[in-house]
Amino acid sequence: MGKQNDWVIPLKVCRESIRKWSGDARVLAIIFLVCLFAWVRIKDLRGMCIANELSISCWYFAFQMAGIHALFYYFGLLLLFCDAPFIDKQQMDVILRTGKKNWFIGKILYIVTASCLYFLLIYVVGVLEFVPYVGFSTEWEDMINILSMDDLYGSIINRSIVMTYTPIEACLTQYVVCVLFAIFLGLLIFYFNLFKSKVIGIGIALTMVLTGVLVNMVNLVVARIAVYFIPMVWTNIEVFKRTAEGVPFVYAIAMLSIGIVVLIILIMQKSKSYSIECQEEM
């Protein structure tokens, strides 16, 4: 193919991977689990909305990744990426048609696209499950302000987020950080799965997620230092506004971006020695 089509081939590989979702039982199970996790998280908040006859903000996604509940969402993400580099019998034909390099680039693009869609799903589900108690104001709804001052719900609707972010800013910040972290996790699993064992990649990713949740739950000196080195912590945007152990937003974005670039380089380097025979064995 001509040079003008060099990027068309990886995009087609990515699109083909996304299209397979409709018939993939694992992906359908992940969608169901996301809906279930979201409902478990919001059902009490929805009850408060009904009791007070007040709407909650459509920007509620900004609070979705706070606390231990984030762990469940990332379990779904790990399940989505656990079989990277996503090889089956059909993929062998795709590799032969597209070339190994284009196939690898296409799978990297798939991880990027899947990460964006996964957190878009969480956002949409979080809105739909509040219907009809959904407000579309560009300011925080009264229900958000009330819950942020409540001792019971304050750990979910964080007061510092309400006071320092606009709704759109909070939601976009949350989305960008979560997507970048998801891409990083997906590429991390992808890279280590290129070696003989697939346990290492998912093990490292799971450890990062669990450690991040643990650090978010404790308030120790060591935790204040650890927040700079554990990307999972950054997916709770409240960490950017803390006074004692806050992390600069630019730092988080820069470190995640650097990590993603490094992993892409490592994957493409490994792809040169990753033989079709090795893929067939997997």
Side-chain angles (χ1 to χ4, degrees):
M1 293 189 179
K3 289 185 178 180
Q4 69 273 17
N5 293 325
D6 283 353
W7 278 99
V8 173
I9 300 172
L11 287 173
K12 286 184 177 180
V13 173
C14 173
R15 184 180 63 183
E16 184 262 349
S17 297
I18 295 294
R19 281 181 172 178
K20 293 175 68 175
W21 280 8
S22 60
D24 191 327
R26 180 166 53 89
V27 173
L28 296 178
I30 291 170
I31 294 174
F32 170 77
L33 289 174
V34 167
C35 295
L36 178 63
F37 295 156
W39 177 254
V40 170
R41 183 167 176 77
I42 68 99
K43 64 177 183 179
D44 291 338
L45 300 179
R46 180 181 168 85
M48 290 286 291
C49 292
I50 296 173
N52 292 276
E53 296 185 349
L54 292 173
S55 296
I56 203 161
S57 177
C58 66
W59 312 111
Y60 169 72
F61 176 76
F63 309 101
Q64 284 279 62
M65 308 311 292
I68 196 171
H69 293 85
L71 182 63
F72 300 111
Y73 290 123
Y74 280 105
F75 278 160
L77 187 70
L78 294 178
L79 183 60
L80 182 62
F81 292 145
C82 67
D83 64 336
F86 318 108
I87 296 176
D88 53 31
K89 292 181 179 180
Q90 183 182 358
Q91 292 304 301
M92 298 306 305
D93 293 332
V94 176
I95 293 169
L96 293 175
R97 292 198 310 269
T98 64
K100 190 164 60 174
K101 179 180 178 181
N102 286 325
W103 185 85
F104 268 86
I105 295 173
K107 291 304 180 180
I108 290 171
L109 291 176
Y110 166 72
I111 287 176
V112 174
T113 304
S115 298
C116 294
L117 292 176
Y118 184 78
F119 284 100
L120 182 61
L121 171 67
I122 294 174
Y123 170 79
V124 172
V125 169
V127 172
L128 293 179
E129 290 187 345
F130 275 112
V131 171
Y133 299 95
V134 181
F136 295 92
S137 172
T138 55
E139 302 294 331
W140 292 117
E141 301 287 345
D142 290 340
M143 197 68 223
I144 291 289
N145 283 298
I146 292 172
L147 292 173
S148 69
M149 293 183 287
D150 188 282
D151 291 338
L152 179 60
Y153 297 103
S155 60
I156 300 174
I157 311 297
N158 190 279
R159 187 64 180 169
S160 66
I161 294 177
V162 175
M163 295 299 294
T164 57
Y165 288 101
T166 66
I168 297 176
E169 180 187 15
C171 194
L172 288 178
T173 300
Q174 183 73 77
Y175 183 78
V176 169
V177 176
C178 284
V179 168
L180 286 177
F181 180 60
I183 295 170
F184 176 78
L185 274 185
L187 293 176
L188 186 73
I189 296 170
F190 192 166
Y191 175 68
F192 282 102
N193 281 3
L194 294 177
F195 297 90
K196 287 186 177 181
S197 175
K198 286 191 174 184
V199 177
I200 298 176
I202 195 68
I204 293 174
L206 180 59
T207 300
M208 291 181 67
V209 170
L210 292 174
T211 304
V213 173
L214 178 63
V215 170
N216 256 333
M217 294 175 63
V218 299
N219 187 25
L220 303 173
V221 174
V222 65
R224 295 177 183 180
I225 298 173
V227 293
Y228 284 89
F229 303 100
I230 303 176
M232 170 67 183
V233 178
W234 309 335
T235 60
N236 177 7
I237 62 172
E238 186 264 335
V239 75
F240 302 130
K241 297 300 179 181
R242 294 176 187 170
T243 55
E245 67 273 18
V247 175
F249 175 69
V250 174
Y251 170 85
I253 297 300
M255 294 303 293
L256 285 170
S257 299
I258 291 171
I260 289 169
V261 171
V262 169
L263 284 169
I264 290 174
I265 293 172
L266 290 174
I267 288 170
M268 295 310 297
Q269 285 293 324
K270 180 64 178 176
S271 71
K272 296 176 182 179
S273 60
Y274 193 64
S275 66
I276 293 178
E277 288 77 13
C278 177
Q279 295 170 17
E280 288 177 333
E281 290 174 4
M282 294 178 65

